Structures are given as C-alpha cells and as structure tokens.
C-alpha cells in the first residue's frame, strides 16, 4: 500500500470520502468474537475501510438483503495439478464456491518439469484474481526409487526462496530425512529458516520421539492425520492440523471427533487433491463447510476454521477476516448451513455475482510445460516378461478406496515361456514406463484387484514422478494405450482390442488440461465409464492406478525401476520362491 492508497483508505474509514463499494444491510459473521449482527461494510481499493451503519455512500452500493457476509474461504493445502485443470480453469471452478485464497504446492508439476513448472504456476497465479500463495516443493524427487523429470536440491531451494512470491517450503514428506538429520534435507530446512518462511508438514502416523524431532525442525502443520488420536498428539506439540477432505483421502468424519472449544483454533481445512467432477458436482471448501455443519460442527466454528484459523496458521497477513485494514475478501451467502454463494469479492473487486464470473480470467502460455512424454523408441516387445521356472511372483493387491496396498504371492500364468495376464484370477500385468528422459526404464509386475477382463488402461498421472503407468490383459493393448498417451501429450486412456474406447488428454505436463473444467469432468466420466466396458469395477480406476506407483505408501508398489517394498524402502525382485 503506497502513501496515496493509505491516505484514501483512512479518509474512507473516517467517513470523509465515499467508499468504492458499500455492502449495505448484511449480516456480518465476526470471526474475532463469533457474533452475527447487521451492519454495513465499506471497501476502499483492495481493503476493508470500516464496518458501521454510519457508512451510506459509495460509488457502488449493494443492498445485501440480510445475506450473511463471511470472509473469503481458504484452502490451506492443494495441488492444483491434481484437479487436472489449468490454474485459469481451477480459478473459474472455485470462485463461484466462495474460495478466495489457496495455498498451493506445485510438487506434481515440479517432478515433471522442475523449476519451469514452478515458474509456470507462479506466473499463472499473478495473472488471476484468486489469491495464490505458492510453496516451494521440498521433495523433488520424493525418493530415489523412481525416475523423476527433475531434481530440486537444497541449493535450488535457496534460490527459489529468494523469490518473495514463494510463501514457504512445501510439505516435507521425507520425515525420515528430518528425523535422521540427512544433510540435503536439513539444508533445505535451514534455507527456509534463513528466509523466515513457514515449513509445511507431511508425516502420516509419526509419533513419539520421532515426532518431537520432526517438529523441532520448525515444521508447523500436517494434513495427513487420519484419526482424532493422531491429530491430538500433534496439536499437543504445537502443530496446526489441516483437515483433509479431497477426492481421494477423506478425513473429515474422523477428525471432527478431535475438535473442542479449547483447540478448534488449531484446525483449518484443505483438499490436497480434488478432481474436476468433484468441483463441478459438489464444490470446494464450501462443500467441506456443508459436510462439517451437517455432522454437528457449529457453523461459526466451521467458518472460522475455513478463514481466520487458516490465515493465522499459514501466516497470511491481513486475510481471513472482515475488519478495517484487512484485504476485502468477502463472500455473501444465503445461510450458514447450505452456504449457497451469492457474491464474491476478492481484493476489493466483485468477481462473482448473479451466477456469473464478473472478471477476466487470463490463460498464460503453457508451452514451457507441454510436450513432456519422452519414451524414446518404445515398442510392444519391451513389455515381455520371461518366466522363471518353479518360481512364484510378488503381486500388488489393490484395496478399493485406499492408496495403501496388500501383498500377494502366487504362481503366474505362463504361455510360451512368457508371463501373461490371467483375467480369470484377476492377476494382470502392470508396467511403469519412464517418460521424462527416454532412459528405457520399464518396471513390469502383476496386480490383483483391477478386474480387467479384456483391454488396458494407461495414465501419465502416477504419483509422485508421473511416469506412464499401464495395466491390461495383453501387451498389444497396453502398448496401444501407451502410444495413444504419447500422441495426445498425456492423460488417461482406455483400450480394447485395436480400439481406443475413450481418452482424457492432459497436455500440460501430462497432468492438466486447458479445456473447461466442465469438459474435463465430462471426459473423466467418459474414461471411467469406458473402463467399466473392459470389466473394471473400481469407482475411479485412474486414481487407484496413479497411486500404485507411489513408493512411499505401503505395502508393495511399482516404479520404472521395479517393485518396491515400501516398508523396507527398497527395490525387490518380481520373483520369489
């Protein structure tokens, strides 16, 4: 705020100058006191000038007709890449639901494109009305058990953290690296401390002395809690808990049990990963508010958790409340149960009203993060798997609605001395193809629980390194699915025989689309429906498939380097006695 803006703000606040916008006759939810009362809100430039019935004049006067005025909603932790939408389309999807601020970790695109991916997200955020707070990804790659598209080391982070548009250090998934003082990890943490920024946490199940050590590093938050007991242990040690309610992991029901009047200031909401169909059909943070209130959380607590708690816990200065000198991020809703959004103001500008977006949303050039499918001279023959006589195989066992897996051991089906898929026993081939550097790395294994009867699916979304992952009943169909992904620049596809049944192109880093969120949601529905034609019964097989390549979630996973015993954190062979 420069001198001219400050002087005008003070003049408006004191009543000497008319406001830019006056919200007249709204029922303000005061997040500082928990009161609800009828008043007027005067806005000057980007800021709230004052709250008083004495304000009566403005360039724009809006009769709020007793609608509730609440602060703009905040998502405490999200990967926009996991929405499969460009930042522009994500913004268009969430503004009508009252979201005004998001804290994003571009971890996914950084694993594909490195610094160029982070810069793309930074530039997109600057061009859009939504408040983007960008965290610098701390774990690229997440492990050395797979091949990522890039590596961001401590010296890279030192340079990144010099950018004042970087808000902090993103989720530190490598909690063993913290606890055991691994040099590169400690150097990243030290760089964040020297810049004086926050460090986001990621420590599922961490407890006891290791949890103390993790928090000693200055890690202030966690969004991985799945039980009230875990949340309380972390709050007792000073952590803030982001209750995650995404499209995959849903922790709201359980974590609400941990909330009391004494501790609810330590809780806020996050989606982490929310898919376009969820955004289209259910909403964003407003959806979490509805669910929380329906489960018995007091509406005022819920709103505070989605606004002022988040702002304070994340160090978002002058956001999260409607008060003099705060940024004018304001949402008008019909009631405090359904949270039906009527109007949205971000930084003093009306961006949504009467069911339509009221501002321009710019799409920035994504050429720097396109064309990321680089599999070299791939051929169907590379998917062959020679049998080992008198041996059994380690098999990944899917658990529906979970990203953890079980571990099976059984004999494979063998034809002409080659291992082949066995649909009758639901044991089919799965492969991960390195797609960043054309190394030729291919991890081949077997999986139970996908129930594919005849065909193949493939995806370029495969956490965290996002290599191509495919599963199917024949090498021919798997190869066709892989080649189709190459032709469309990444995404999802379903193949049966010689036919591509459906696909959802995601050409931005093989993770996101520039198409409308409605179209992306429709295409996602098409590929899921097509997967049913080849026998799959899972509600979202592509989400399930994407986590089969994540070597930090137990028990057995597969990367481009082979099978991973996650609990021992090591690569293992396919064959066993």
């Amino acid at each position: 705020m420069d001198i001219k803006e400050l002087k005008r703000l003070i003049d408006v606040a004191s009543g000497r100058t008319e406001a830019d916008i006056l919200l007249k006759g709204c029922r303000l939810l005061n997040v500082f006191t928990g009161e609800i009362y009828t008043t007027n809100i005067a806005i000057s430039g980007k800021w709230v000038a004052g709250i008083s019935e004495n304000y009566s004049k403005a360039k724009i006067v809006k009769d709020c007709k007793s609608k509730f005025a609440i602060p703009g909603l905040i998502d405490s932790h999200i990967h926009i890449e996991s929405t499969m939408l460009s930042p522009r389309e994500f913004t268009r999807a969430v503004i009508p639901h009252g979201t005004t601020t998001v804290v994003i970790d571009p971890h996914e695109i950084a694993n594909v494109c490195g610094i160029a991916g982070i810069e793309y997200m930074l530039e997109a955020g600057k061009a859009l009305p939504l408040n983007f707070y960008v965290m610098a990804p701390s774990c690229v790659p997440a492990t050395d058990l797979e091949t990522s598209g890039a590596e961001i080391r401590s010296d890279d982070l030192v340079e990144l953290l010099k950018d004042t548009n970087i808000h902090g250090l993103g989720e530190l998934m490598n909690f063993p690296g913290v606890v055991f003082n691994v040099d590169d990890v400690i150097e990243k943490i030290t760089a964040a401390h020297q810049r004086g920024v926050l460090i986001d946490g990621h420590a599922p199940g961490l407890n006891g002395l290791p949890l103390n050590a993790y928090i000693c590093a200055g890690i202030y938050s966690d969004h991985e809690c799945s039980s009230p007991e875990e949340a309380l242990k972390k709050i007792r040690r000073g952590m803030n808990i982001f209750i995650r309610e995404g499209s995959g992991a849903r922790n709201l029901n359980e974590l609400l049990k941990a909330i009391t009047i004494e501790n609810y200031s330590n809780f806020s909401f996050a989606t982490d990963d929310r898919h376009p169909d969820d955004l289209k059909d259910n909403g964003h943070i407003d959806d979490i508010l509805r669910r929380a209130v329906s489960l018995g959380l007091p509406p005022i607590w819920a709103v505070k958790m989605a606004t002022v708690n988040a702002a304070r816990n994340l160090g978002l200065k002058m956001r999260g409340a409607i008060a003099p000198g705060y940024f004018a991020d304001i949402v008008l809703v019909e009631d405090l149960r359904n949270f039906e959004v009527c109007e949205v103001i971000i930084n003093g500008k009306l961006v949504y009203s009467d069911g339509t977006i009221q501002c321009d949303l710019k799409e920035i050039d994504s050429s720097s993060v396109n064309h990321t499918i680089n599999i070299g001279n791939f051929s169907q023959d590379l998917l062959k798997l020679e049998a080992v006589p008198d041996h059994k195989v380690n098999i990944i066992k899917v658990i529906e609605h979970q990203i953890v897996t079980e571990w099976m051991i059984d004999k494979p089906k063998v034809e002409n001395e080659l291992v082949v898929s066995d649909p009758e026993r639901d044991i089919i081939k799965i492969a991960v193809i390195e797609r960043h550097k054309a190394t030729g790395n291919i991890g081949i294994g077997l999986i139970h629980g996908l129930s594919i009867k005849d065909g193949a699916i493939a995806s370029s979304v495969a956490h965290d390194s996002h290599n191509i992952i495919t599963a199917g009943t024949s090498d021919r169909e798997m190869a066709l699915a892989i080649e189709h992904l190459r032709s469309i620049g990444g995404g999802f596809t379903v193949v049966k025989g010689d036919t591509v049944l459906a696909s959802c192109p995601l050409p931005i880093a093989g993770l996101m689309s520039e198409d409308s969120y409605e179209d992306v949601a429709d295409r996602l529905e098409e590929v899921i429906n097509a997967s049913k034609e080849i026998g799959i019964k899972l509600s979202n097989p592509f989400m399930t498939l994407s986590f089969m390549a994540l070597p930090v979630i137990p028990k057995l996973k597969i990367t481009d380097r082979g099978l991973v015993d996650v609990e021992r954190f090591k690569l293992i062979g396919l064959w066993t006695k």
Side-chain angles (χ1 to χ4, degrees), residues 128-197:
L128 293 163
L130 198 65
N131 298 311
F132 284 84
Y133 288 85
V134 181
M135 306 292 276
S138 64
C139 298
V140 178
T143 75
D144 61 359
L145 301 173
E146 56 187 337
T147 305
S148 66
E151 185 176 10
I152 297 178
R153 299 195 61 80
S154 55
D155 53 347
D156 299 312
L157 275 173
V158 168
E159 291 303 310
L160 267 177
L161 290 169
K162 290 178 181 178
D163 188 336
T164 56
N165 293 301
I166 296 290
H167 185 66
L169 188 60
E171 56 180 316
L172 251 170
M173 295 184 289
N174 189 358
F175 56 84
V178 178
V179 174
F180 293 105
N181 267 330
V182 173
D183 286 345
D184 188 63
V185 176
I186 299 302
E187 288 168 8
K188 291 176 180 179
I189 292 169
T190 302
H193 288 322
Q194 289 173 345
R195 163 77 200 282
V197 296

Side-chain angles (χ1 to χ4, degrees), residues 3-18:
I3 291 175
K4 183 178 179 181
E5 289 172 313
L6 177 58
K7 293 181 76 172
R8 185 175 190 281
L9 178 61
I10 292 171
D11 281 340
V12 173
S14 61
R16 291 190 295 270
T17 301
E18 69 175 10

Side-chain angles (χ1 to χ4, degrees), residues 318-348:
M318 308 312 286
R319 297 205 189 272
I322 302 172
Y326 274 66
F327 286 104
D329 297 341
I330 301 170
V331 179
L332 298 181
V333 297
E334 289 286 356
D335 59 57
L336 298 181
R337 183 162 296 275
N338 295 315
F339 295 97
E340 181 182 345
V341 174
C342 304
E343 303 198 49
V344 179
I345 294 171
I346 301 179
N347 293 321

Side-chain angles (χ1 to χ4, degrees), residues 25 35 81-82 84 106 188 192 320 328 339 380 441 443 474 479 556:
E35 298 171 282
E81 306 97 307
S82 293
M84 305 170 212
K188 291 176 180 179
F339 295 97
Q380 176 182 323
N441 287 357
S474 74
L556 185 65

Side-chain angles (χ1 to χ4, degrees), residues 315-383:
L316 309 182
K317 295 181 179 179
M318 308 312 286
R319 297 205 189 272
I322 302 172
Y326 274 66
F327 286 104
D329 297 341
I330 301 170
V331 179
L332 298 181
V333 297
E334 289 286 356
D335 59 57
L336 298 181
R337 183 162 296 275
N338 295 315
F339 295 97
E340 181 182 345
V341 174
C342 304
E343 303 198 49
V344 179
I345 294 171
I346 301 179
N347 293 321
K349 293 183 178 180
L350 183 67
V351 296
Y352 177 79
S353 180
D354 298 325
T356 60
I357 300 284
Q358 301 287 324
C359 60
D360 291 331
L361 301 178
K362 297 179 181 178
E363 188 73 86
I364 70 162
D365 180 20
S366 62
S367 59
S368 64
V369 289
N370 286 345
H371 311 295
T372 60
I373 307 298
N374 182 16
I375 57 176
N377 296 318
F378 171 79
S379 71
Q380 176 182 323
D381 287 344
L382 296 174
L383 297 174

Side-chain angles (χ1 to χ4, degrees), residues 118-128 134 163 165 364-365:
I118 299 170
E119 290 174 345
Y120 166 74
M121 300 301 281
L122 281 167
E123 290 306 308
K126 293 174 187 175
L128 293 163
V134 181
D163 188 336
N165 293 301
I364 70 162
D365 180 20

Side-chain angles (χ1 to χ4, degrees), residues 234-260:
K234 290 175 176 175
I235 286 176
R236 287 171 185 149
R237 289 165 170 81
M239 294 190 95
N240 297 311
I241 302 303
F242 305 156
I243 298 178
R244 176 175 55 189
E245 188 74 1
S247 294
R250 297 181 181 272
N251 307 123
L252 181 68
N253 288 29
E254 281 300 305
L255 296 189
L256 286 181
K257 299 172 186 176
I259 296 175
T260 66

Side-chain angles (χ1 to χ4, degrees), residues 20 108 200 217 229 241 277 304 320 341 353 430 507 528 559 563:
D20 292 320
E108 314 295 349
D200 194 6
E229 294 78 16
I241 302 303
D277 52 342
K304 290 182 70 171
V341 174
S353 180
I430 184 170
I528 290 173
T559 74
L563 287 179

